[in-house]
Amino acid sequence: MSDTAKSDVRSLDHGTTPLRYARGWHCLGLASTFADGKPHAIHGFGTKLVVWQDSTGKLNVLDGYCRHMGGDLTQGEIKGDNIACPFHDWRWGGDGKCKEIPYARRVPLRARTRRYETAVVNGQLLMWNDPEGSAADHDILPPELPEVLTDKYTPWSWHIKEINGSHCRELIDNVADMAHFYYVHFAFPTSFRNIFEGHTATQFMESKGRPDKSEGGYSGEDSTLKSEATYFGPAYMINWLEVDYKGFVTEVILINCHIPTGPDSFTLQYGISVRKPEGLDEKTVNYIAERYTESFGDGFLQDVAIWENKVAVQNPLLCEEDGPVYQLRRWYEQFYTDVAEIKPEMTDRFEFEVDTTRANEFWHAEVAENLANR
Amino acid sequence: MASFVPTSAETLEEQRLYTQARLIEVACLDCLATVQVKKNSDHQTSIQWTAEAVAACPELCRRSRSGSRDGHRGCPRLLASIDAAVADGVVQIGAQDGY
């Protein structure tokens, strides 16, 4: 084969994955799950973290391994306000200092471990990660959702899923991915826009379910939705959804967040809260909430099947109907860059509207054919 | 330190094509904002702002102060200015090989 022919073949550039974890707020789960007076283990950021609630009600997060001899603090006990190591009973406070070694005359001055700053937002525990060790930036916390956690909304239905063999950027790519809503989630995306600005990245989408499919939260002839999904930082998305099923409109809030666990693995967490439709009894409301939880949960599993089998691509080849994958990744890069080295184009406002006309013409014809072949 | 490092120089050129190629400067007809625009079709639009342009746009400034979610919508005056630039032939509609 000649050299010319060889160079016509496009190669996938797999690139190298980052050696660091993103700077920003990461959600560890519902705050209530950590409030039982016991230590909890969270795998994240290449280590294991210990989470516990002290007597003041404050949730603390420390590196999970004791600085004495490496004992696993997540298997220890809460004693007073401190976490006690199961190996030699060294007691660590939420400020990261060793408070007491019961068998020792004094605590070594250097007995400090890594602590992570926390915040509770929307009933969820968030944790600040920064490889540069900066103080947590509370100005960029995700917003509080008005009336969620009141009796106007169903309580969070919370789910956890471990993903192996993928970097969490695969999950982020979805923000700019119009066409996968047809192929993976079985919906026609009729309108699709993105805005990236500062630490936020938003996807606005309107879609109509495919009549030839019924799996997942987006499919089905009778279902249309308006979706606005914003990442607040690298790992926490709020998705406001208006789901119209046979003319009955329900407001659904979906939280999609993750914790990186290793260079090519992460833990996906998602939670769903449904605005209780007025005039319906509690049983019906709960039934509706469960149905939406199940169907959007299935939607995530549709993505997971793709992620677990695809390869990393630094040089995606795009067509005119695709969303702004390169600009989205440029935005995402800010969280893997030292603050002093963030470039303006990573955070400058960028707007993109996808032309969905041609794609929908083709897709409607394809679906009509699928239905005719039944 | 960079991350997600491409292993091929061609990838860097592709990043440039997709994020910077064919952007045309459009000045807003109503304020001092100047942005860069690309239109691959009638319905597709890319708008690249700078911090200075956002600061010059009264619409975006007003919305960011209000803190409400509709702050995410585009500025209608800028969109009208882009339409005018298309009508004047300053912004040409059409895509190259997918970028």
Side-chain angles (χ1 to χ4, degrees):
Chain A
M1 191 188 277
S2 75
D3 283 340
T4 320
K6 215 167 146 192
S7 67
D8 285 346
V9 176
R10 198 176 164 87
S11 301
L12 288 173
D13 181 353
H14 300 305
T16 55
T17 46
L19 301 168
R20 65 200 281 171
Y21 297 102
R23 173 183 51 255
W25 291 102
H26 292 76
C27 176
L28 302 184
L30 290 182
S32 56
T33 50
F34 304 110
D36 57 359
K38 294 183 182 131
H40 293 260
I42 292 281
H43 291 271
F45 310 97
T47 183
K48 197 197 263 191
L49 310 173
V50 60
V51 185
W52 82 98
Q53 188 180 52
D54 63 30
S55 65
T56 66
K58 187 179 181 299
L59 291 166
N60 301 293
V61 181
L62 298 184
D63 188 278
Y65 296 104
C66 182
R67 291 327 194 223
H68 174 220
M69 296 282 281
D72 183 348
L73 297 175
T74 71
Q75 294 176 2
E77 271 178 66
I78 314 298
K79 294 183 179 172
D81 284 342
N82 305 322
I83 175 74
C85 181
F87 200 1
H88 306 91
D89 204 26
W90 285 38
R91 316 273 178 90
W92 297 89
D95 60 1
K97 291 183 193 162
C98 182
K99 302 293 184 186
E100 193 187 350
I101 305 168
Y103 65 88
R105 191 169 289 129
R106 59 179 71 91
V107 174
L109 294 171
R110 302 192 313 286
R112 275 170 178 265
T113 187
R114 183 178 300 280
R115 75 174 274 261
Y116 295 88
E117 288 184 76
T118 60
V120 174
V121 177
N122 298 317
Q124 298 144 17
L125 174 62
L126 277 73
M127 185 208 93
W128 177 258
N129 180 63
D130 183 4
E132 290 184 275
S134 72
D137 186 347
H138 289 261
D139 292 340
I140 56 168
L141 273 168
E144 290 278 359
L145 296 162
E147 299 187 323
V148 169
L149 300 173
T150 71
D151 62 2
K152 292 200 166 124
Y153 282 81
T154 59
W156 291 118
S157 171
W158 200 263
H159 304 268
I160 299 170
K161 169 97 184 133
E162 280 179 33
I163 314 286
N164 289 302
S166 287
H167 189 274
C168 47
R169 191 175 65 170
E170 302 290 349
L171 170 65
I172 306 297
D173 277 348
N174 274 1
V175 171
D177 191 340
M178 186 276 287
H180 97 290
F181 280 97
Y182 175 81
Y183 294 102
V184 180
H185 300 304
F186 307 134
F188 302 108
T190 50
S191 167
F192 194 98
R193 290 189 299 129
N194 288 117
I195 298 182
F196 312 138
E197 185 169 21
H199 72 294
T200 65
T202 302
Q203 173 197 85
F204 301 87
M205 183 184 66
E206 291 177 23
S207 72
K208 192 168 173 9
R210 278 173 63 171
D212 59 332
K213 297 280 182 180
S214 57
E215 307 97 275
Y218 301 91
S219 67
E221 182 171 27
D222 299 318
S223 120
T224 60
L225 62 84
K226 282 186 189 172
S227 161
E228 179 182 331
T230 298
Y231 265 98
F232 295 90
Y236 187 94
M237 187 186 89
I238 302 177
N239 188 359
W240 289 271
L241 292 149
E242 255 182 55
V243 195
D244 183 328
Y245 182 72
K246 293 185 176 171
F248 187 81
V249 179
T250 311
E251 188 197 314
V252 179
I253 293 180
L254 174 65
I255 302 295
N256 159 18
C257 56
H258 65 270
I259 308 161
T261 48
D264 65 346
S265 61
F266 59 100
T267 303
L268 174 70
Q269 301 200 8
Y270 59 93
I272 287 162
S273 176
V274 177
R275 188 174 181 89
K276 296 178 183 173
E278 283 172 25
L280 295 181
D281 62 86
E282 199 67 16
K283 203 176 148 198
T284 313
V285 165
N286 289 338
Y287 174 77
I288 292 172
E290 276 166 32
R291 285 294 309 133
Y292 282 126
T293 302
E294 208 177 293
S295 60
F296 284 107
D298 289 349
F300 275 114
L301 300 183
Q302 292 166 332
D303 284 318
V304 169
I306 298 286
W307 298 330
E308 290 190 328
N309 293 287
K310 76 184 288 296
V311 292
V313 188
Q314 296 295 336
N315 60 339
L317 178 63
L318 306 180
C319 64
E320 286 168 45
E321 281 69 21
D322 285 329
V325 177
Y326 283 86
Q327 288 87 348
L328 175 67
R329 290 178 171 192
R330 182 180 66 183
W331 168 84
Y332 188 57
E333 183 80 16
Q334 66 177 294
F335 306 111
Y336 292 83
T337 305
D338 284 355
V339 171
E341 285 170 30
I342 294 176
K343 294 183 188 132
E345 62 261 32
M346 295 177 183
T347 54
D348 279 346
R349 182 182 176 92
F350 176 74
E351 299 177 34
F352 191 100
E353 172 144 17
V354 176
D355 186 346
T356 63
T357 330
R358 150 77 199 164
N360 276 286
E361 280 166 16
F362 171 76
W363 288 334
H364 278 92
E366 185 175 72
V367 165
E369 205 178 310
N370 290 347
L371 292 172
N373 289 339
R374 275 187 179 172
Chain B
M1 188 192 73
S3 54
F4 302 108
V5 183
T7 45
S8 149
E10 287 164 22
T11 301
L12 293 172
E13 173 58 10
E14 302 240 310
Q15 285 175 347
R16 192 195 66 78
L17 280 182
Y18 284 111
T19 60
Q20 291 168 40
R22 302 177 45 239
L23 285 168
I24 301 294
E25 201 165 278
V26 172
C28 183
L29 299 173
D30 288 303
C31 76
L32 295 175
T34 299
V35 297
Q36 295 201 291
V37 173
K38 181 166 77 170
K39 276 185 78 69
N40 283 344
S41 71
D42 281 337
H43 294 282
Q44 193 282 328
T45 311
S46 304
I47 307 173
Q48 179 65 64
W49 292 76
T50 58
E52 297 74 45
V54 170
C57 175
E59 180 72 20
L60 292 185
C61 290
R62 185 183 61 74
R63 288 182 193 175
S64 76
R65 274 197 308 273
S66 81
S68 63
R69 269 165 58 204
D70 77 352
H72 290 295
R73 266 190 264 131
C75 172
R77 293 186 189 86
L78 179 71
L79 294 177
S81 305
I82 293 171
D83 287 345
V86 170
D88 292 347
V90 176
V91 172
Q92 307 262 328
I93 293 179
Q96 300 231 350
D97 195 25
Y99 62 86

